Amino acid sequence: MFSAVVIEKGEAGQSVAVQNVEESALPDGNVQIDVDYSSLNFKDALAITGKSPVVRKFPMVPGIDLAGTVTASSHGDWSEGDRVVLNGWGVGETHWGGFAQRASLNGDWLVPLPAEFTAKQAMAIGTAGYTASLCVEALVNAGVRPEQGEILVTGATGGVGSVAIALLTKAGFTVAASTGKSSEVEYLQKLGATTVVDRAELSEKGKPMQKERWAGVVDSVGSFTLANACAQTRYGGTVTACGLAQGMDFPASVAPFILRGVSLLGIDSVMAPKERRITAWARLSRDLDPSALESIATEISLAESINAADQLMDGTVRGRIVVDVNR
């Protein structure tokens, strides 16, 4: 038996609770893992609250992230005792995820836990931080350089934004952080932001072309915020889009792209190939100070994750939430 958050759906609707689950109930997988930590992401909050049809199969254990130790493997890349990390691949949506003390997974989905991080630190990074690293990699690979100007990070107090600020600062960029939380200015400055922008400046409908401000953008918000960020990006700049906190719509014009040569790059973390994942984790290992994670992350228990999902949906969470599945 092991403990897990289980989402079930019946005639009365969806229910969520911590349950004791038989080992035999685990889904098929060629790698078995003792989970140490998971983390609460926006997609997990959607799954737990039922505010979006994220879960495709019931019953479901949420948790798109996990870090732990291999206990058994028939996969050629992994052996008992290996320390591993998982992000995405539909886990927590179509395959049981990390909000449990045990997991059974496809070994192709795993990457090694970097030696620089503990399992808890890896989950303080989680999908949000790994996505931030993918965004920074994309900006650098697109040729964006620190001397070209500021990088705008939207949703800056969230998981993606927090890690992106830290990584960009380490890479030598000047960062402008967009947030609606005036009380978090000091937090953002400690991460490395030199300018804080009120999100109200970006969150309403704006002109198709606006004053050139940003050499690059990391956007996790979407909707009007992304459209305005594109309209404010400098000639030849690059915008990375990885989230939809404000909305999935994109009420924009082609003007920034055809008149200023702005590039808009979509960043997918769920199905990204293994090579790209390893590169993203290598940047995190090299450029993210583990001590910075102390200010970014808050630890909770497995049972507390259910209420924390509501808080995340309400926008009252700062940084990252790490879930200790063994308490």
Side-chain angles (χ1 to χ4, degrees):
M1 300 285 285
F2 63 92
S3 295
V5 173
V6 181
I7 304 173
E8 296 183 298
K9 191 171 185 179
E11 292 183 2
Q14 178 172 299
S15 63
V16 187
V18 176
Q19 298 181 14
N20 289 323
V21 181
E22 294 279 357
E23 296 267 358
S24 59
L26 282 167
D28 291 338
N30 52 22
V31 180
Q32 314 304 311
I33 297 169
D34 277 349
V35 181
D36 294 320
Y37 290 92
S38 185
S39 69
L40 181 67
N41 296 277
F42 187 69
K43 188 175 286 186
D44 301 316
L46 289 173
I48 291 170
T49 61
K51 292 186 177 180
S52 181
V54 169
V55 177
R56 308 302 171 87
K57 294 172 62 177
F58 295 91
M60 179 55 60
V61 174
I64 66 174
D65 289 333
L66 65 82
T69 303
V70 174
T71 57
S73 173
S74 59
H75 189 284
D77 290 349
W78 308 107
S79 301
E80 182 179 351
D82 286 343
R83 305 281 283 164
V84 294
V85 174
L86 172 119
N87 307 109
W89 291 115
V91 172
E93 301 174 72
T94 60
H95 190 99
W96 284 17
F99 284 19
Q101 294 171 322
R102 306 283 184 274
S104 177
L105 301 167
N106 184 336
D108 291 342
W109 300 341
L110 306 172
V111 297
L113 173 66
E116 292 80 2
F117 301 125
T118 65
K120 179 179 177 180
Q121 289 170 335
M123 288 298 94
I125 297 167
T127 284
Y130 144 67
T131 302
S133 188
L134 289 172
C135 290
V136 176
E137 282 289 319
L139 289 174
V140 172
N141 291 339
V144 180
R145 301 185 304 277
E147 62 269 22
Q148 293 174 330
E150 284 185 297
I151 306 297
L152 173 68
V153 176
T154 67
T157 61
V160 173
S162 295
V163 178
I165 292 168
L167 290 177
L168 288 163
T169 300
K170 181 69 174 181
F173 289 96
T174 303
V175 180
S178 170
T179 182
K181 301 174 182 176
S182 58
S183 61
E184 301 291 5
V185 170
E186 184 178 356
Y187 165 76
L188 295 170
Q189 291 174 336
K190 285 183 177 179
L191 289 175
T194 57
T195 305
V196 177
V197 178
D198 189 331
R199 72 179 175 200
E201 296 181 25
L202 298 164
S203 60
E204 302 294 333
K205 184 177 180 180
K207 295 180 180 179
M209 294 279 278
Q210 301 173 34
K211 181 181 178 180
E212 296 180 61
R213 300 180 68 181
W214 321 116
V217 179
V218 174
D219 176 69
S220 60
V221 178
S223 192
F224 288 116
T225 297
L226 176 58
N228 286 319
C230 291
Q232 295 175 8
T233 297
R234 294 183 176 187
Y235 188 93
T238 300
V239 177
T240 58
C242 65
L244 43 73
Q246 186 179 9
M248 191 180 289
D249 59 321
F250 182 44
S253 162
V254 298
F257 311 112
I258 63 175
L259 298 179
R260 288 184 183 161
V262 171
S263 298
L264 176 59
L265 304 181
I267 305 299
D268 168 56
S269 62
V270 177
M271 304 301 290
K274 189 171 183 177
E275 296 77 12
R276 197 174 299 164
R277 293 168 182 265
I278 290 174
T279 299
W281 277 99
R283 175 176 288 277
L284 290 160
S285 302
R286 182 182 68 246
D287 291 349
L288 186 62
D289 183 354
S291 64
L293 297 171
E294 295 177 8
S295 62
I296 292 174
T298 301
E299 181 182 323
I300 63 174
S301 68
L302 194 61
E304 290 172 322
S305 65
I306 297 172
N307 287 334
D310 286 312
Q311 296 167 7
L312 184 57
M313 292 304 301
D314 290 340
T316 58
V317 170
R318 180 183 82 179
R320 298 278 297 143
I321 297 179
V322 176
V323 181
D324 182 348
V325 300
N326 294 298
R327 73 173 180 91

